[in-house]
Amino acid sequence: MNMADIAQKAEKGGSKLRNKAYLKELRRLHVELVKMQQWVVSSGAKVCVVFEGRDGAGKGGAIKAITERVSHRIFRVIALPAPTEREKSQMYVQRYLPHMPAAGEVVIFDRSWYNRSGVERVMGFCTEEQAQAFLTAVPLVEHAVIQSGIILIKYWLEVSQEEQTRRLEDRIHDARKIWKLSPMDLESYHRWYDYSRARDDMFEKTDTDFAPWYVVRSDDKRRARLNVISHLLSKVPYESVPRTKVQLPPRQKADGYREPDYPYRFVPEVLDRSM
């Protein structure tokens, strides 16, 4: 089955997931993510999650769904900007390594070192020799990462051409989303098949038994988010951590305290309270 078939299979299988069903299952999964968080902290586990995929495939939404109910001090999202001149002179993976998780952390890369095999290669920001050297070396680096005790999970979000077009056009016409659309997005849209070739080569050389790529069909964003979270939970060997039963203590007595007659500058309420 080719990637186009993979991206569209969910659509052929039925309608998109309704929001009510999505929110119900998301709530259940959020409870499990909190359990996972507590286990990561108590066990000192180190988890690294990589998100890659086409522009408009829904990486940001999937990451937000994972992190919206957990601590951002434990679940850290890394989205590095373009490298500085100094960073360009470093060993390629060097600027990513300081962000790797320490004990009790989950690090999520919103794009990662795989920029070299994707956007940098396609857009000519690196040479073909540099891209091939990266593809040869990265399995060795990832093996060392795993040997250090890090749980490494790599996701590729795949979207169909039709759905990508719909989403990027939505960004053009929705003032809330226009910031998501960059000249690089337009160029990647134009170069669909250049990115397909780069992706295929990346899979062939970095889809290893110890650090495999997991492909997510993302034409239905809601299903994709639930599928990613469920899969992530299945790949981290967490278990419930016993918790002490919590009960709110009684409030202290006022002991003569009175609210001051102070002219507070309240924020104006623009919505009717009856709404």
Side-chain angles (χ1 to χ4, degrees), residues 1 3 5-6 21 49 54 71 73 77 116 121 143 145 166 174 184 190 200 215 240 253 257 270 272 275:
M1 182 180 292
M3 274 293 180
D5 292 334
I6 289 174
V49 186
R54 295 191 185 271
S71 170
R73 293 188 298 274
V77 178
R116 171 131 298 182
R121 184 182 188 183
H143 189 267
V145 166
R166 189 194 68 77
D174 190 333
M184 198 70 67
H190 169 66
D200 296 346
V215 179
S240 295
K253 295 182 178 180
Y257 174 80
V270 297
D272 191 321
M275 294 180 66

Side-chain angles (χ1 to χ4, degrees), residues 170-181:
D170 187 42
R171 293 179 184 182
I172 293 173
H173 300 297
D174 190 333
R176 301 167 299 172
K177 300 178 181 179
I178 191 64
W179 64 271
K180 293 183 177 183
L181 192 67

Side-chain angles (χ1 to χ4, degrees), residues 1-12 54 156-164 167 192 199 215-220:
M1 182 180 292
N2 61 38
M3 274 293 180
D5 292 334
I6 289 174
Q8 295 175 8
K9 184 178 178 182
E11 288 302 298
K12 294 178 181 179
R54 295 191 185 271
W156 175 272
L157 274 64
E158 186 64 28
V159 65
S160 66
Q161 292 188 43
E162 294 77 13
E163 181 63 15
Q164 186 191 52
R167 292 177 185 179
W192 174 275
R199 176 206 60 204
V215 179
V216 183
R217 296 188 292 263
S218 66
D219 273 21
D220 185 335

Side-chain angles (χ1 to χ4, degrees), residues 27-204:
R27 179 183 178 87
R28 185 188 71 82
L29 292 174
H30 279 159
V31 172
E32 294 302 314
L33 282 170
V34 170
K35 291 180 183 178
M36 174 183 142
Q37 172 180 269
Q38 293 172 320
W39 176 82
V40 166
V41 172
S42 67
S43 67
K46 299 176 287 185
V47 181
C48 178
V49 186
V50 169
F51 275 91
E52 294 287 348
R54 295 191 185 271
D55 291 312
K59 295 179 293 297
I63 292 171
K64 182 179 179 181
I66 292 171
T67 59
E68 63 182 339
R69 295 293 181 176
V70 292
S71 170
H72 291 187
R73 293 188 298 274
I74 297 168
F75 279 70
R76 296 191 294 111
V77 178
I78 306 299
L80 297 183
T84 64
E85 290 302 315
R86 179 177 183 276
E87 288 171 334
K88 289 178 182 178
S89 70
Q90 296 175 338
M91 180 176 68
Y92 176 71
V93 297
Q94 187 171 339
R95 75 185 190 121
Y96 295 96
L97 295 178
H99 300 284
M100 286 294 180
E105 292 181 346
V106 178
V107 169
I108 299 175
F109 281 95
D110 184 356
R111 296 204 180 275
S112 65
W113 46 92
Y114 282 99
N115 277 338
R116 171 131 298 182
S117 60
V119 63
E120 290 189 14
R121 184 182 188 183
V122 173
M123 301 302 296
F125 297 151
C126 70
T127 65
E128 183 61 21
E129 290 73 20
Q130 288 175 320
Q132 290 300 329
F134 165 80
L135 291 170
T136 299
V138 74
L140 302 175
V141 174
E142 291 178 351
H143 189 267
V145 166
I146 293 168
Q147 288 293 101
S148 75
I150 292 175
I151 299 172
L152 176 62
I153 307 168
K154 303 186 303 189
Y155 291 113
W156 175 272
L157 274 64
E158 186 64 28
V159 65
S160 66
Q161 292 188 43
E162 294 77 13
E163 181 63 15
Q164 186 191 52
T165 298
R166 189 194 68 77
R167 292 177 185 179
L168 294 185
E169 286 182 342
D170 187 42
R171 293 179 184 182
I172 293 173
H173 300 297
D174 190 333
R176 301 167 299 172
K177 300 178 181 179
I178 191 64
W179 64 271
K180 293 183 177 183
L181 192 67
S182 70
M184 198 70 67
D185 295 327
L186 299 178
E187 189 63 24
S188 69
Y189 177 85
H190 169 66
R191 299 192 181 203
W192 174 275
Y193 291 106
D194 286 342
Y195 273 92
S196 294
R197 295 183 185 96
R199 176 206 60 204
D200 296 346
D201 194 26
M202 180 191 76
F203 273 26
E204 181 181 350

Side-chain angles (χ1 to χ4, degrees), residues 240-251:
S240 295
V241 177
R243 296 181 59 202
T244 304
K245 186 175 181 180
V246 178
Q247 185 174 356
L248 291 176
R251 291 193 189 275

